[in-house]
Amino acid sequence: MRRSSYAIWWNEGNGPKHVGKLELVPLHAHFSGNGSRRLAVPLAEITAVEYHRGEVRIDRRGMTPLRIGSLDAPGTLLELAHSLNS
């Protein structure tokens, strides 16, 4: 059974890093973090997911790319990248 919640940091483009969690639900990836920062990314809007050097890059249709890093166990980012590519 795949996990559905991950402890992460993320940022959009060159913006500030946010610390929090990513939850995968049937149609969205929900980011929630420090303060009131929240972001919902429709899975249908994801055009590419790449894992490189300890980060996952998510390209979104018509939006700034997201970068994600893990605050969780080793191997979590690869699992997350595979889940988003499914």
Side-chain angles (χ1 to χ4, degrees):
M1 184 175 184
R2 286 187 179 162
R3 292 173 46 175
S4 62
S5 180
Y6 301 88
I8 61 158
W9 62 260
W10 83 92
N11 73 339
E12 297 181 76
N14 292 323
K17 285 185 180 177
H18 304 282
V19 174
K21 68 179 178 178
L22 168 63
E23 293 179 284
L24 296 177
V25 295
L27 299 175
H28 291 81
H30 287 257
F31 295 78
S32 58
N34 48 352
S36 61
R37 183 65 179 141
R38 304 228 185 284
L39 176 67
V41 176
L43 298 178
E45 297 295 315
I46 295 174
T47 58
V49 177
E50 298 177 10
Y51 174 82
H52 185 68
R53 294 186 183 194
E55 290 184 3
V56 171
R57 177 186 163 121
I58 299 175
D59 292 332
R60 304 176 289 164
R61 192 169 303 135
M63 300 293 290
T64 305
L66 293 170
R67 290 182 329 141
I68 300 170
S70 178
L71 301 175
D72 217 333
T76 300
L77 282 180
L78 280 175
E79 178 184 323
L80 174 59
H82 289 298
S83 294
L84 289 169
N85 273 321
S86 297

